Amino acid sequence: MKKIMTKNILALQVCFFLFPLFAFSQTISYTLSMPEPWTHYYHVTQTIKGERKKSIDFIMPVWIPGSYKVREFSKNVEEFKAHSEKSDNLKWEKIDKNSWRVYTNKANEVTISYKVYAFVKSVRNSFLDDSHGFVSPPDVFMYVEKLKNRPATLVIDPYDEFLIISTGLEKSPGSKNSYIVPDYDILVDSPIEIGNQTVFEFEVEGVPHEIAFYGKGNYDSSAVDEVKRIVEETAKLFGEIPYKRYLFIVHLTKSASGGLEHLNSQVLRMGRWNFQPASRRGRWRSLVAHEVYHLYNVKRIRARELGPFDYTRENYTTLLWVMEGFTSYYSGRILLNAGFISPKKYQSNMASHMRKISNTIGNRYQSAAEASFDTWIRYYRRNENSPNRDMSYYDKGKLLGMLLDLEIRNSSGNKKTLDDVMRRLYSEYYKKKQRGFSEAEFKKELERAAGIDFSDFFVRYVHGTEEVDYGKYLSYAGLEIETLEAPSLSEKGAFLGTKVSESSGKLKITRVQRDSPAWNYGLNMNVMLLIRVKIFSKSFV
Ligand SMILES: [Zn+2]
């Protein structure tokens, strides 16, 4: 016994003395510059000290978390070079589409450099021109697998006329443009806006928030106040704010809209004139609320497969209907709680949502779980036949969120709600176990709150495509559903079941609806219609 104790004490002492050496034995530093932004090229370097290996593999991700599609970011890398303290020109070779093997010959300090062409306007791609730079880190910075969890520094050298840098990364103390990178996952999750953006600031519960607007637009401080209300309402659902600082990067464009969630930031693209009058802000509010709720659901409350990520391939989960669909359900609830929409409007929104689900053909052919799993090859790679076979796990998940909330409230005698389940997932899995959950664990948490078995629900509505028994669930809230007969053909007028495009007076079929007359009688895509048809609507004719 004594001997063992002595051994342990010795081991502890060895650890104590070795730890500081070990902790600082390797250092990683990145630099980013953009001397000629009009060429759309970022210049990147990465230096690793202390590895002393024969070779090091530098890898660029093939996808960005939150957008489930392999995007092959490495295609934009050019002029890759490597050097060390021993050699100005280290030998290297590509070993696959996104990995560079550098023969470092046990050098202590190895630096790679390359340029990245960045000219895609999107929340998930980097962009650079003479008006601003947006850095989406997975398509700019590489990593070394074994060193992914190590801290690093990032020094940004902005173009002379770019005066402001906005990012969720913390600044290194005492330096102007140097940032602390706790690990590669956090770097990937910290987009950077560089330019002359307009920055607003506000606090929620003493936590600072910034909104950085790039581009012209008719926003003002009242639009910022609305964001503050959304953050406050979301935080109330969980009882705490899980970050020290939060950043909204907003790209104002002609008409586009979309967003991407990150750990302590979000990136939004929004129509520049959609802020005035305030009644036009519906899309803005719901986009902000969706991405703010994501900072809990998916960034912290998450399916087991969604972190730590494998950046080199697809990461499959059957739970995107929870990650995305529940986020859509809650964004509506947050806007309701914040007073942006009335209870009556909320009810009518949900009614049209149910109508949409029932009338979407894909819901009869693809389940929520299957759509989640296959999103890499289906939802994110749609074609002309997608509406006939694919569903949206955003839409179905939003509906399932409402049904589960109603069921939990009813079965627990209004003692529990879906909010309790989300809070429990947050405290039990994110905070305590510090990991994601499996589908079985998620189902167990629902059952724990409701006190009933959800196996049948999962078979019918999560893994199955059965039409939802709306009447049953709505009755829990004292609501009824009125089902209307679809108009008959004679009431509807002529119906072919095709979408068409018109060019030089000719009509070309661009889509054929499943089970429609066109489908049943063999009209195909790209067929030119040789009949003269007067089009009353751009939808199906
Ligand atoms: Zn989302």
Side-chain angles (χ1 to χ4, degrees):
M1 182 73 176
K2 201 178 172 191
K3 204 175 171 188
I4 292 168
M5 284 293 288
T6 313
K7 228 176 166 180
N8 279 349
I9 289 165
L10 185 66
L12 274 173
Q13 283 173 339
V14 170
C15 285
F16 179 76
F17 288 115
L18 283 181
F19 181 73
L21 286 175
F22 179 71
F24 297 104
S25 63
Q26 291 128 331
T27 61
I28 305 166
S29 49
Y30 295 93
T31 68
L32 176 78
S33 58
M34 57 222 75
E36 298 171 321
W38 51 89
T39 63
H40 319 300
Y41 279 98
Y42 285 111
H43 296 209
V44 185
T45 74
Q46 183 181 355
T47 300
I48 294 178
K49 279 188 198 169
E51 257 296 84
R52 296 179 184 276
K53 298 277 187 220
K54 274 177 144 176
S55 66
I56 300 176
D57 293 345
F58 292 87
I59 304 166
M60 178 154 271
V62 302
W63 69 289
I64 177 168
S67 183
Y68 305 98
K69 180 181 178 182
V70 170
R71 292 178 191 276
E72 322 288 17
F73 295 134
S74 55
K75 68 186 174 194
N76 292 319
V77 174
E78 295 173 33
E79 297 183 47
F80 185 93
K81 290 176 191 139
H83 68 265
S84 71
E85 80 274 17
K86 294 178 181 173
S87 165
D88 290 342
N89 195 6
L90 289 173
K91 194 180 152 211
W92 60 268
E93 64 177 330
K94 286 284 292 282
I95 53 170
D96 59 32
K97 66 184 177 186
N98 59 313
S99 306
W100 285 254
R101 176 164 295 164
V102 178
Y103 293 94
T104 49
N105 298 323
K106 300 195 174 175
N108 181 51
E109 184 172 328
V110 175
T111 299
I112 60 165
S113 64
Y114 53 92
K115 292 180 183 174
V116 175
Y117 180 70
F119 199 53
V120 177
K121 292 179 179 176
S122 144
V123 294
R124 51 192 171 241
N125 293 86
S126 294
F127 180 86
L128 179 65
D129 71 4
D130 56 6
S131 70
H132 81 133
F134 170 66
V135 177
S136 175
D139 69 19
V140 168
F141 300 112
M142 297 187 191
Y143 66 94
V144 175
E145 180 61 38
K146 201 169 73 73
L147 305 178
K148 248 178 15 183
N149 298 327
R150 298 290 166 83
T153 56
L154 166 64
V155 176
I156 299 174
D157 181 12
Y159 174 57
D160 290 349
E161 292 176 16
F162 295 167
L163 304 178
I164 303 170
I165 298 174
S166 303
T167 176
L169 292 171
E170 290 304 313
K171 272 193 175 174
S172 301
S175 65
K176 196 176 167 213
N177 293 331
S178 175
Y179 295 85
I180 299 164
V181 176
D183 59 39
Y184 185 76
D185 289 329
I186 291 178
L187 177 61
V188 159
D189 230 352
S190 304
I192 308 163
E193 177 70 21
I194 307 161
N196 298 304
Q197 56 271 28
T198 304
V199 179
F200 290 81
E201 294 177 343
F202 63 87
E203 284 192 0
V204 176
E205 310 268 335
V207 178
H209 293 68
E210 276 175 39
I211 306 187
F213 286 100
Y214 160 77
K216 258 195 238 165
N218 58 357
Y219 58 88
D220 62 10
S221 60
S222 69
V224 174
D225 289 343
E226 291 187 353
V227 174
K228 183 173 186 244
R229 271 164 69 193
I230 288 168
V231 175
E232 285 166 347
E233 285 304 328
T234 312
K236 274 186 208 166
L237 289 169
F238 290 92
E240 67 174 44
I241 294 178
Y243 48 82
K244 289 184 181 148
R245 193 167 63 84
Y246 194 88
L247 169 70
F248 300 80
I249 296 174
V250 186
H251 292 159
L252 297 174
T253 67
K254 203 171 161 192
S255 60
S257 81
L260 193 62
E261 67 277 5
H262 296 282
L263 203 58
N264 68 338
S265 60
Q266 61 180 269
V267 185
L268 306 167
R269 284 175 70 77
M270 200 60 220
R272 63 177 85 254
W273 308 122
N274 286 351
F275 296 89
Q276 306 296 345
S279 57
R280 293 191 67 187
R281 290 185 201 151
R283 176 66 188 147
W284 160 251
R285 291 168 189 150
S286 83
L287 192 59
V288 169
H290 182 95
E291 304 305 342
V292 168
Y293 193 78
H294 260 324
L295 75 88
Y296 295 92
N297 191 31
V298 93
K299 296 317 304 185
R300 290 170 175 87
I301 298 167
R302 61 178 174 78
R304 199 175 44 185
E305 299 83 2
L306 296 180
F309 298 109
D310 182 343
Y311 296 109
T312 65
R313 57 186 289 274
E314 294 86 347
N315 290 220
Y316 298 102
T317 172
T318 56
L319 288 173
L320 285 181
W321 62 276
V322 178
M323 304 289 96
E324 290 297 346
F326 279 28
T327 301
S328 292
Y329 172 61
Y330 273 101
S331 62
R333 289 262 318 273
I334 290 161
L335 297 183
L336 174 70
N337 294 350
F340 290 119
I341 48 176
S342 66
K344 199 176 164 196
K345 176 71 180 154
Y346 180 77
Q347 224 175 71
S348 94
N349 285 351
M350 287 312 286
S352 40
H353 190 71
M354 286 183 266
R355 200 159 48 236
K356 182 181 176 190
I357 298 284
S358 287
N359 292 334
T360 299
I361 298 169
N363 277 315
R364 294 172 221 159
Y365 293 90
Q366 193 185 37
S367 72
E370 187 190 352
S372 299
F373 193 88
D374 275 343
T375 188
W376 302 85
I377 54 167
R378 299 279 283 267
Y379 188 82
Y380 275 92
R381 290 186 186 269
R382 276 171 276 195
N383 64 18
E384 70 286 347
N385 196 39
S386 297
N388 287 328
R389 58 174 206 177
D390 291 351
M391 54 83 89
S392 158
Y393 50 80
Y394 285 78
D395 290 345
K396 184 74 177 282
K398 177 177 173 177
L399 175 74
L400 296 181
M402 182 187 79
L403 301 183
L404 287 165
D405 201 2
L406 288 168
E407 184 61 82
I408 293 166
R409 286 168 195 259
N410 184 61
S411 299
S412 68
N414 267 327
K415 288 194 179 72
K416 297 277 181 187
T417 71
L418 189 62
D419 305 1
D420 292 296
V421 176
M422 300 310 281
R423 276 193 287 272
R424 161 106 182 152
L425 291 169
Y426 178 76
S427 61
E428 190 66 17
Y429 286 90
Y430 167 63
K431 291 183 81 173
K432 199 168 146 197
K433 294 182 175 161
Q434 300 186 350
R435 66 169 175 86
F437 43 81
S438 66
E439 187 183 296
E441 287 168 332
F442 171 69
K443 178 168 162 280
K444 209 171 100 190
E445 293 302 335
L446 292 170
E447 291 170 344
R448 185 189 153 93
I452 61 163
D453 181 8
F454 275 112
S455 299
D456 188 52
F457 184 97
F458 270 63
V459 168
R460 285 166 189 257
Y461 305 137
V462 175
H463 287 275
T465 56
E466 217 172 281
E467 178 80 358
V468 168
D469 183 356
Y470 293 108
K472 172 185 161 187
Y473 293 96
L474 292 175
S475 71
Y476 297 156
L479 297 168
E480 284 179 3
I481 187 153
E482 191 186 353
T483 311
L484 301 173
E485 283 291 316
S488 66
L489 271 185
S490 56
E491 287 169 317
K492 210 173 178 180
F495 174 68
L496 194 55
T498 58
K499 266 200 169 178
V500 294
S501 67
E502 189 181 9
S503 168
S504 312
K506 288 180 181 168
L507 293 178
K508 189 167 84 170
I509 296 177
T510 55
R511 193 187 292 172
V512 178
Q513 184 179 320
R514 187 187 278 266
D515 297 330
S516 66
W519 172 284
N520 291 332
Y521 289 96
L523 280 181
N524 293 315
M525 269 277 302
N526 294 332
V527 163
M528 302 296 287
L529 289 178
L530 299 176
I531 50 172
R532 191 171 285 278
V533 180
K534 188 168 182 188
I535 302 176
F536 293 98
S537 145
K538 284 191 176 171
S539 59
F540 280 95
V541 295

